[in-house]
């Protein structure tokens, strides 16, 4: 289907008018019934043959008018659907992350950032979202999920980031008015990124944090969730007790369900996806888990529900979906969305893995842990989170050489920090001084220990802030025996910085730990085929 002309593709991808199908069926019948001409040629009376030919000419003319008319209607409808779709630039930040290297078959993975906006910019969104005092205020990216489709299209991984994760938001420029939002001073909640020019800034923030190249984004608001949930029909979800998500002050989504499994759609589906009060500890982490259960169930429903082959139902779903979405230019037509859905549909539910970014509390907020970096690395390297492709995994490749080569060793300024502290052990004394001394001995005369910062890193890493310093960072890593996969771009540093990790608490020779390609338990992986998943209800939000 790729590369097909817009008109025919419109009729196929957007749901061609039923008349077109009838006309095409008629064309097949006309072909099949053309034997009359042959019989005339074979000796039938000339008058009868002429009449047959006249009838066929009129039929052909009528058929041509029908085909042109209905194809035109299909094309107009296709263009109507395209006009429903809102578009925004993919990345509003200054920095880019290189696309992954194709595998031996020339295939590359696909990464799509799914964003749920809490915008209360319309009467419908206001009614669904509540919080009247925030009407028209800057929207927040309250749902953020990275969907990773493997290069061979055999598996899919989803990583949710809690909305209150503390991150550095990079400098972003609003594409509409040119307003420049400077990089955040210190760390702020990740959901604020949407207000820095649009979804392209949320994409830039993810790429800065994870080092994962993002190919597309899809954003939907409250009203969009409701309309699409209605169009799809009921999606079964489960609670282990009666739940009513509403506290004494009136906070909560309003979700009210009896114990057991129930289909939810429309506004009730939105309530499920927004519920915090009532699920587990009432945090955003519990909400992410509920969203994973809903999405897994939705995938199973779409694969099993034969009613979606009904043209009217498909047409309604196409209408609602295109009105609900904001996408990047790479997904700005029905054909592009249809092609993407075909790629996603190749993955069976049992090869879909939903996870939440591993995190720890910082006051009332959370921050990524070392396990989060492990999860990001697995996605970067296209390693399935369900562990089922280990036997066919290709040998790992070193990252491509940087565009900007390294400066002479003696001219590279390097800071060294002691990051050997762990949850159970204090920082090993003198490690920054020792490693800085090693670098000086090896010709890096501008290497200095930085005793003012004592981070915590599970593995030794070399960080650099901008593309022009990547070559320098790679050279420093090489001199210490640190693998290129541990060289990372980061806005947390102002120059090339070595963070000595807990894997190098002593000695002068660094021995890289063997890569662990298992999904961290703290990611709380949920398999897409798990029909027994059920949300735990907080006893304070139950009813009888």
């Amino acid at each position: 289907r790729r590369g097909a002309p817009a008109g025919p593709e419109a009729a196929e991808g957007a749901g061609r008018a039923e008349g077109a199908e009838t006309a095409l069926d008629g064309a097949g019948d006309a072909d099949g019934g053309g034997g009359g001409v042959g019989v005339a040629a074979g000796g039938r009376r000339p008058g009868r043959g002429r009449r047959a030919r006249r009838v066929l000419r009129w039929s052909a003319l009528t058929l041509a008018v029908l085909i042109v008319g209905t194809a035109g209607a299909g094309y107009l409808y296709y263009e109507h659907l395209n006009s429903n779709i809102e578009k925004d630039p993919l990345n509003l930040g200054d920095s880019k992350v290189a696309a992954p290297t194709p595998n031996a078959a020339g295939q590359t993975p696909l990464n799509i950032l799914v964003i749920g906006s809490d915008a209360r910019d319309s009467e419908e969104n206001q009614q669904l979202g509540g919080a009247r005092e925030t009407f028209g205020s800057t929207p927040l990216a309250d749902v953020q999920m990275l969907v990773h489709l493997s290069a061979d299209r055999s598996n899919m991984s989803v990583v949710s980031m809690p909305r209150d994760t503390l991150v550095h938001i990079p400098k972003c420029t609003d594409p509409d008015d040119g307003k420049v939002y400077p990089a955040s001073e210190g760390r702020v909640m990740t959901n604020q990124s949407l207000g820095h020019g649009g979804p392209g800034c949320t994409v830039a923030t993810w790429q800065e944090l994870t080092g994962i190249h993002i190919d597309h984004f899809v954003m939907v608001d409250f009203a969009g969730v409701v309309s699409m949930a209605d169009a799809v029909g009921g999606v079964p979800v489960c609670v282990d007790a009666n739940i009513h998500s509403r506290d004494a002050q009136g906070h909560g989504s309003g979700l009210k369900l009896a114990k057991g499994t129930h289909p939810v759609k429309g506004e009730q589906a939105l309530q499920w996806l927004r519920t915090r009060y009532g699920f587990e500890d009432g945090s955003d982490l519990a909400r992410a888990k509920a969203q994973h259960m809903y999405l897994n169930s939705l995938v199973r429903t779409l694969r099993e529900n034969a009613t979606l082959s009904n043209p009217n139902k498909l047409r309604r779903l196409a209408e609602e979906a295109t009105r609900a979405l904001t996408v990047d230019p790479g997904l700005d037509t029905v054909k592009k969305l249809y092609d993407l859905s075909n790629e996603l549909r190749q993955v069976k539910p049992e090869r879909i893995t939903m996870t939440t970014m591993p995190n720890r509390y910082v006051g009332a907020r959370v921050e990524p842990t070392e396990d989060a970096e492990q999860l990001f690395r697995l996605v970067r390297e296209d390693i399935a989170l369900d562990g089922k492709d280990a036997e066919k995994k290709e040998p790992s490749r070193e990252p491509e050489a940087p565009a900007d080569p390294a400066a002479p060793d003696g001219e590279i300024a390097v800071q060294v920090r002691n990051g050997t502290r762990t949850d159970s052990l204090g920082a090993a004394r003198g490690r920054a001084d020792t490693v800085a001394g090693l670098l000086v001995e090896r010709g890096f005369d501008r290497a200095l220990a930085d005793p003012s910062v004592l981070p915590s890193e599970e593995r030794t890493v070399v960080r650099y802030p901008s593309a022009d310093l990547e070559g320098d960072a790679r050279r420093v890593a090489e001199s210490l025996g640190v693998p290129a996969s541990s060289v990372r771009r980061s806005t947390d540093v102002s120059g090339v910085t070595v963070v000595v990790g807990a894997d190098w608490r002593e000695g002068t020779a660094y021995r890289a730990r063997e890569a662990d390609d298992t999904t961290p338990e703290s990611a709380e992986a949920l398999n897409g085929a798990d029909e027994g998943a059920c949300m735990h209800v907080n006893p304070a939000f139950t009813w009888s």
Side-chain angles (χ1 to χ4, degrees), residues 327-367:
V327 299
D328 68 275
L331 294 177
D332 63 356
T333 67
V334 170
K335 180 188 183 311
K336 293 174 183 177
L337 289 168
Y338 180 78
D339 287 344
L340 174 61
S341 71
N342 270 346
E343 295 212 64
L344 295 172
R345 196 164 52 190
Q346 294 180 46
V347 183
K348 296 179 180 179
E350 54 267 28
R351 295 302 313 275
I352 297 174
T353 307
M354 299 272 180
T355 64
T356 299
M357 180 198 77
N359 58 82
R360 56 178 162 246
Y361 278 102
V362 180
R365 311 298 180 210
V366 299
E367 66 180 5

Side-chain angles (χ1 to χ4, degrees), residues 158-499:
V158 178
V159 180
S160 286
M161 185 190 298
R163 65 172 184 169
D164 53 1
T165 301
L166 296 175
V167 297
H168 290 276
I169 299 178
K171 183 180 83 171
C172 293
T173 303
D174 192 314
D176 295 328
D177 58 14
K179 179 178 178 180
V180 175
Y181 292 85
S184 61
E185 295 183 7
R187 298 188 302 175
V188 297
M189 285 173 57
T190 184
N191 64 351
Q192 295 179 25
S193 58
L194 186 59
H196 288 221
C201 195
T202 305
V203 169
T205 301
W206 268 79
Q207 290 197 158
E208 283 277 338
L209 176 68
T210 67
I212 298 169
H213 174 80
I214 295 177
D215 301 280
H216 301 293
F217 74 79
V218 175
M219 184 171 74
V220 64
D221 60 15
F222 293 149
V225 170
V226 170
S227 62
M228 286 195 293
D230 269 340
V232 170
V235 174
V237 295
C238 175
V239 287
D240 66 1
N242 299 342
I243 181 174
H244 186 202
S245 178
R246 188 75 75 199
D247 67 8
Q249 287 75 43
H251 300 137
S253 70
L255 177 70
K256 190 170 186 179
L257 284 176
K259 177 181 178 180
T261 300
H262 308 275
V264 295
K265 64 179 182 178
E267 187 171 352
Q268 195 174 42
L270 177 64
Q271 289 174 336
W272 175 274
L273 294 168
R274 295 188 65 215
T275 294
R276 267 195 315 127
Y277 296 91
F279 284 155
E280 299 188 351
D281 63 355
S283 72
D284 202 48
L285 306 177
R287 172 159 50 191
K289 189 182 294 186
Q291 290 167 353
H292 294 164
M293 289 184 186
Y294 177 89
L295 291 174
N296 279 341
S297 186
L298 174 62
V299 170
R300 294 193 298 267
T301 299
L302 288 173
R303 291 178 70 93
E304 298 165 5
N305 191 345
T307 63
L308 288 180
S309 61
N310 179 299
N312 288 329
K313 187 143 191 169
L314 277 174
R315 201 168 292 124
R316 182 185 171 204
L317 182 56
E319 189 77 42
E320 298 294 355
T322 52
R323 279 206 306 248
L325 301 178
T326 299
V327 299
D328 68 275
L331 294 177
D332 63 356
T333 67
V334 170
K335 180 188 183 311
K336 293 174 183 177
L337 289 168
Y338 180 78
D339 287 344
L340 174 61
S341 71
N342 270 346
E343 295 212 64
L344 295 172
R345 196 164 52 190
Q346 294 180 46
V347 183
K348 296 179 180 179
E350 54 267 28
R351 295 302 313 275
I352 297 174
T353 307
M354 299 272 180
T355 64
T356 299
M357 180 198 77
N359 58 82
R360 56 178 162 246
Y361 278 102
V362 180
R365 311 298 180 210
V366 299
E367 66 180 5
T369 62
E370 294 78 13
D371 281 355
E373 174 49 39
Q374 162 84 341
L375 191 65
F376 299 152
R377 181 183 66 81
L378 296 179
V379 174
R380 283 196 302 268
E381 297 179 10
D382 195 26
I383 298 170
L385 298 187
D386 60 10
K388 292 179 182 176
D389 69 353
E391 66 279 1
K392 65 176 184 178
K393 184 189 167 191
E394 298 177 20
S396 60
R397 304 181 183 185
E398 287 292 294
E400 291 182 1
D404 193 3
D409 292 353
E411 296 178 12
I412 299 175
V414 187
Q415 284 191 332
V416 183
R417 295 173 179 172
N418 185 349
T420 57
R421 176 174 54 86
T422 69
D423 291 340
S424 56
L425 296 171
R429 295 182 63 182
R431 295 307 294 160
D433 288 321
T434 298
V435 174
L438 283 175
L439 286 169
V440 171
E441 288 175 11
R442 295 170 188 180
F444 294 87
D445 301 328
R446 299 180 63 193
L448 294 170
D450 177 9
S452 64
V453 181
L454 292 176
S456 176
E457 290 288 344
E458 185 179 5
R459 297 186 183 186
T460 299
V461 293
V462 180
R463 295 195 169 101
Y464 62 96
S466 54
D468 60 312
L469 292 177
E470 183 180 2
D472 294 356
R474 292 274 195 95
R475 174 68 191 120
V476 169
E478 180 187 18
S479 73
L480 293 173
V482 174
S485 58
S486 293
V487 179
R488 313 249 170 79
R489 185 168 177 169
S490 171
T491 55
D492 286 341
V493 297
S494 57
V496 176
T497 304
V498 177
V499 183

Side-chain angles (χ1 to χ4, degrees), residues 70-118:
T70 53
Y75 179 75
L76 290 174
Y77 184 62
Y78 173 75
E79 288 302 308
H80 159 71
L81 290 177
N82 284 342
S83 69
N84 284 345
I85 303 170
E86 288 193 32
K87 302 99 178 169
D88 254 357
L90 176 62
N91 187 343
L92 303 183
D94 289 341
S95 64
K96 311 298 177 190
V97 173
T101 304
N103 64 14
Q107 304 163 308
T108 54
L110 196 60
N111 295 307
I112 306 115
L113 187 62
V114 178
I115 303 168
S117 164
D118 78 340

Side-chain angles (χ1 to χ4, degrees), residues 42-66:
R44 285 192 178 184
R45 286 177 296 176
R48 186 171 178 179
R50 280 195 298 271
R51 282 196 301 273
R53 283 193 292 274
R54 278 198 302 271
V55 169
L56 284 172
R57 279 198 299 271
W58 277 107
S59 297
L61 179 61
T62 305
L63 179 62
V65 170
L66 282 172

Side-chain angles (χ1 to χ4, degrees), residues 10-29 63 66-67 69-71 74 309-312 314-315:
E12 293 180 25
R16 177 177 289 181
E18 291 172 3
E21 295 173 7
T22 304
L24 290 173
D25 289 342
D29 293 340
L63 179 62
L66 282 172
I67 289 175
T70 53
S309 61
N310 179 299
N312 288 329
L314 277 174
R315 201 168 292 124

